Amino acid sequence: MDKRERLEAYLGSHDLDSVWFARPNSFAWLTGGNSVIDRESESGVAAVGYDGDGLTLVTDTIEADRIVAEELPDLEADAVSVERFPWYASSLAEAVADFVGTDERAAADIDIPGFESVDPTPLRQPLTERDRERYRELGAQTAAAVESVCRELQSGDTEHEAASALRIALSARGIEAPVVLVGGSERVQQYRHYTPTEAELGDYALVSVTAERAGLHASCTRTVAFDPPAWLASRHEAAARVETTALAATQAAAANGGSGAESAGTAGDVFAAIQDAYDAVGYEGEWQRHHQGGAAGFAGREWIATPGHDAPVDAPMAYAWNPTIQGAKSEDTALVAEDDIEVLTAMDRWPTTTVDAVGYEIELERHDILEIEG
């Protein structure tokens, strides 16, 4: 089902005349473009709506020409009508409300008086073929940026210096970085979210990023060691086994039918497998110390799995699972289909190891620890 078919079905099932998207990730999902000027605003500078007949773009007179020329790669020029409003006259929400009027029933992903609320997350799943191709490009370039920085790290570098280098490497490839975490050997044993400080990396470091381009998000974590503690390798392997189990369980849940089946596998099913895997690798209850990840796509996580979570597991869809064991973490973004698990953020020259899932007959090549002689 393509995106317009999904929107058509949504209008019918919710008895709506139109549905509108102004948040940047949903705008990007439908148009392929970027509507962001101010990253602190919940909405972009344009909204796109579907009314069953076609698409309408609403934006102000400052942005209209540029957005039409540069930010609608998935829309034919004659397939979208454009409504411009004076930048000084009203807000984007007011302009959309004025265009729709009071006689129609509409929904939006931002707060507009008189409109219903739409949760775009289910509409964005599963990924279309075009979005999967974009994801492969994003994953490969994110991986290349992270690897290029990690290979140059030294024990005496500060976390801030490493984080700055990551942001520059990603930006040079046209990639935004909503999340950049770098933790040296002392802080990664204390905190699961190791926001960068002036502390030196020390014996080893964890590097985690969530990268974004055209609305799509790719996450990965890598371990770089200079003089690693004796326990690091075993904890890293344990985390990798939990992650591999999560991917195997995701594929199994998706094979049950995804959102279109009466007995669809759920996020809670995957989470139960993650809990079992922690037990099997000797770290019972460790899952309570950090979230385990979930579906990825036009958000860093479209949903985060929790015990009993009833979100359906779709395929083909991206998933980023990120199990942690004190001082160690394993994370990549993978495209899961019913017959394949494709790691999108795999790195060309990074050391790997074969890891088997707990309770599933699946083995995957997972990133190992990169050791750098100092």
Side-chain angles (χ1 to χ4, degrees), residues 22-25 27-28 33-38 43-46 66-67 71:
R23 290 182 181 271
N25 54 349
F27 182 91
N34 181 12
S35 64
V36 177
I37 298 296
D38 179 358
S43 65
V45 294
R66 179 187 62 81
I67 289 177
E71 300 294 353

Side-chain angles (χ1 to χ4, degrees), residues 23-205:
R23 290 182 181 271
N25 54 349
S26 292
F27 182 91
W29 169 72
L30 191 51
T31 68
N34 181 12
S35 64
V36 177
I37 298 296
D38 179 358
R39 294 198 168 276
E40 293 187 351
S41 175
E42 73 164 357
S43 65
V45 294
V48 60
Y50 179 73
D51 64 1
D53 293 322
L55 294 165
T56 299
L57 176 78
V58 175
T59 190
D60 64 38
T61 49
I62 300 173
E63 308 297 341
D65 291 345
R66 179 187 62 81
I67 289 177
V68 169
E70 299 179 347
E71 300 294 353
L72 305 178
D74 287 358
L75 304 180
E76 300 293 335
D78 58 355
V80 56
S81 61
V82 181
E83 293 291 327
R84 297 168 168 84
F85 65 92
W87 63 267
Y88 53 84
S90 63
S91 68
L92 179 62
E94 291 169 339
V96 172
D98 289 342
F99 174 76
V100 172
T102 59
D103 296 332
E104 296 187 358
R105 295 192 65 211
D109 66 346
I110 61 170
D111 185 22
I112 300 179
F115 281 42
E116 297 181 17
S117 178
V118 55
D119 177 7
T121 300
L123 290 168
R124 300 195 294 247
Q125 301 176 68
L127 294 168
T128 64
E129 182 176 355
R130 185 164 187 176
D131 287 334
R132 296 196 298 272
E133 287 303 315
R134 283 193 176 125
Y135 229 140
R136 291 184 177 100
E137 294 176 3
L138 172 63
Q141 292 184 21
T142 298
V146 172
E147 181 170 5
S148 69
V149 172
C150 285
R151 288 189 171 276
E152 298 300 319
L153 293 178
Q154 298 178 8
S155 176
D157 293 338
T158 69
E159 296 167 347
H160 267 315
E161 288 170 339
S164 296
L166 287 163
R167 293 186 185 280
I168 291 169
L170 290 164
S171 180
R173 293 166 171 82
I175 300 171
E176 298 291 337
V179 178
V180 174
L181 302 177
V182 178
S185 54
E186 290 189 9
R187 295 184 65 250
V188 295
Q189 296 176 61
Q190 297 175 295
Y191 310 113
R192 305 295 163 123
H193 284 156
Y194 28 89
T195 53
T197 70
E198 291 298 333
E200 293 186 355
L201 300 183
D203 292 340
Y204 78 100

